[in-house]
Amino acid sequence: MMALPRVSVVVTSYNYAGYLREAVASVRAQTYEPIECIVVDDASTDGSDAVLDTIAAEWPDIRVIRHPENRGQTAACLTGLAASSGHYVVFLDSDDALCPDFVATHVYVHLSSRMHPGLTSSDIFQVVENEVVLSTFQPFNDRVTDRQPTGKSVFRPIAPAPEGPWTLATPTSDLLESAVYVPPGQVAWCWSPGSANMYRRDAIALFADAPELTTMRLNTDAMLCMAIGHRCGSVLIDRPLSLYRLHGGNGASRQAQLTNVRSVPVEKEPSLQAVADLIEIYTREAVAMVASFWSAETYLHLLERLDSHLVSGGRPGLLDAAIVRHRAALADALGAARLDAWTAARARRHNRQRWRAFRRRWLRRR
């Protein structure tokens, strides 16, 4: 009587003809059955058309969409999203691949969570020249190892059939012992990149129309993980379930990770910009944002978390400037009295911080 949820896997591709078939085959090989696969080609010029024709002929249940002109990774993701229907969505870069239990494991964690996270993120295999070099991703593992596994307080294993809807043999409940729940408010990057994430469709919808997302060409995962994880919380699955291929043409990473060696150039680090974009979205769309929260206090708390992260990262003043720029929207959303009280409290806190900083400098000079 209870069906498992449909999962939409959107494969996005631009000039990755050599990898495209393997990516689609990894979707076809999933142990989880309620899956739809949509391939979006972003006007490739490398012979991908022939690969797509073969895929369409061999696997007619896969929908292929071709952009007439190149529009970027995010546009391809959003095209696939609009054409899909699953409650959960995976955006698979065509140079990556999913392990057979990827979808089943992510769905199992979602259905076993007492909380209602907007995304799940699993660890990755880092692959160079078709050889696995690493089976971990550093920011993900920093969070997993710094915190004890979440345990029974957050998870209750979904019941197997016939008592419940779970009809697969794997995964089993021991998976949940090492899973880590990351509550809303997270701003330091702790998720795996790209294809390692599964999102709730309704969580994506919270940000899908924001121009900060729709005008992006690359790093779609940076914006989605940051926005959804910060707003709705997430779960980290301590198991590598996808292949992250490093080949020199990646959008950010230039090599497999190595301790004390930067693998992402400073100018391509997208997470701080995603936080800045979220401050703009939260303030500009304050009326709709506040109305969608349980309380204005939660909305303000999440805004303050974003601001604190930027200040610690050397980018102060963005929230204060956004408050000035979008004061009318904030007043409509919060009420003038609450807005004035909040901004006055922020001013007092800033004055105290400036005084403490001045006093520390004065004491050092003495």
Side-chain angles (χ1 to χ4, degrees):
M1 297 296 293
M2 293 183 290
L4 290 170
R6 175 178 290 192
V7 174
S8 300
V9 181
V10 176
V11 183
T12 60
S13 184
Y14 175 64
N15 285 349
Y16 277 149
Y19 304 119
L20 183 54
R21 181 179 176 82
E22 182 180 348
V24 175
S26 76
V27 180
R28 296 280 300 179
Q30 291 298 300
T31 58
Y32 188 90
E33 291 187 359
I35 290 179
E36 64 175 356
C37 181
I38 299 169
V39 182
V40 182
D41 182 73
D42 195 29
S44 295
T45 59
D46 66 341
S48 291
D49 277 349
V51 179
L52 289 170
D53 289 342
T54 301
I55 288 172
E58 185 172 350
W59 299 317
D61 57 322
I62 292 176
R63 182 175 179 184
V64 175
I65 302 174
R66 309 179 201 224
H67 281 173
E69 68 282 331
N70 181 259
R71 296 164 54 194
Q73 179 193 47
T74 303
C77 289
L78 294 177
T79 293
L81 178 69
S84 67
S85 60
H87 289 288
Y88 296 93
V89 181
V90 177
F91 296 113
L92 174 60
D93 297 330
S94 59
D95 55 336
D96 295 337
L98 305 178
C99 297
D101 279 342
F102 179 95
V103 172
T105 303
H106 279 256
V107 172
Y108 183 84
V109 171
H110 274 282
L111 295 182
S112 298
S113 177
R114 295 181 185 273
M115 308 300 181
H116 308 129
L119 76 115
T120 47
S121 184
S122 52
D123 215 337
I124 59 173
F125 293 106
Q126 297 189 44
V127 177
V128 179
E129 297 177 350
N130 290 324
E131 296 179 2
V132 175
V133 175
L134 296 172
S135 64
T136 59
F137 183 67
Q138 184 175 337
F140 178 101
N141 279 275
D142 287 346
R143 183 58 188 261
V144 170
T145 55
D146 285 349
R147 302 292 180 95
Q148 291 297 316
T150 306
K152 296 180 180 179
S153 62
V154 173
F155 299 109
R156 179 186 60 199
I158 186 69
E163 290 80 8
W166 195 252
T167 56
L168 284 75
T170 58
T172 54
S173 60
D174 62 315
L175 167 78
L176 303 174
E177 296 174 4
S178 59
V180 175
Y181 174 64
V182 182
Q186 179 70 21
V187 282
W189 186 267
C190 68
W191 306 279
S192 287
S195 309
N197 303 294
M198 178 182 285
Y199 308 95
R200 284 270 299 270
R201 171 181 291 275
D202 39 10
I204 300 174
L206 294 169
F207 303 96
D209 295 330
E212 288 78 7
L213 176 64
T214 59
T215 58
M216 293 179 68
R217 288 192 61 85
L218 292 173
N219 300 317
T220 313
D221 59 314
M223 185 63 177
L224 287 179
C225 285
M226 189 65 72
I228 294 171
H230 175 76
R231 174 71 189 271
C232 304
S234 58
V235 175
L236 307 183
I237 302 171
D238 191 19
R239 194 173 287 184
L241 294 171
S242 59
L243 277 62
Y244 182 61
R245 198 187 306 274
L246 295 154
H247 46 65
N250 303 82
S253 299
R254 56 191 174 191
Q255 67 173 70
Q257 291 180 319
L258 184 64
T259 299
N260 287 330
V261 175
R262 177 178 283 277
S263 61
V264 179
V266 176
E267 67 275 9
K268 291 189 175 182
E269 172 52 59
S271 58
L272 276 181
Q273 184 57 48
V275 175
D277 288 342
L278 283 177
I279 285 180
E280 181 67 12
I281 295 169
Y282 270 58
T283 52
R284 185 188 64 234
E285 308 297 335
V287 174
M289 276 283 181
V290 172
S292 68
F293 276 89
W294 284 107
S295 70
E297 287 75 16
T298 303
Y299 164 83
L300 293 175
H301 171 70
L302 291 185
L303 256 181
E304 294 280 7
R305 291 293 299 269
L306 294 169
D307 182 52
S308 296
H309 185 69
L310 286 178
V311 170
S312 64
R315 299 183 65 181
L318 269 69
L319 178 54
D320 292 326
I323 291 170
V324 173
R325 193 162 53 250
H326 302 300
R327 189 171 186 85
L330 287 162
D332 287 344
L334 299 169
R338 176 175 282 175
L339 175 59
D340 289 343
W342 176 51
T343 54
R346 282 181 56 80
R348 289 193 297 271
R349 185 167 67 250
H350 290 169
N351 287 336
R352 289 195 299 269
Q353 291 168 349
R354 282 192 289 269
W355 165 247
R356 286 196 291 266
F358 169 79
R359 188 170 185 273
R360 284 195 298 269
R361 290 195 298 271
W362 182 77
L363 290 173
R364 282 197 297 268
R365 285 198 298 268
R366 292 190 65 189

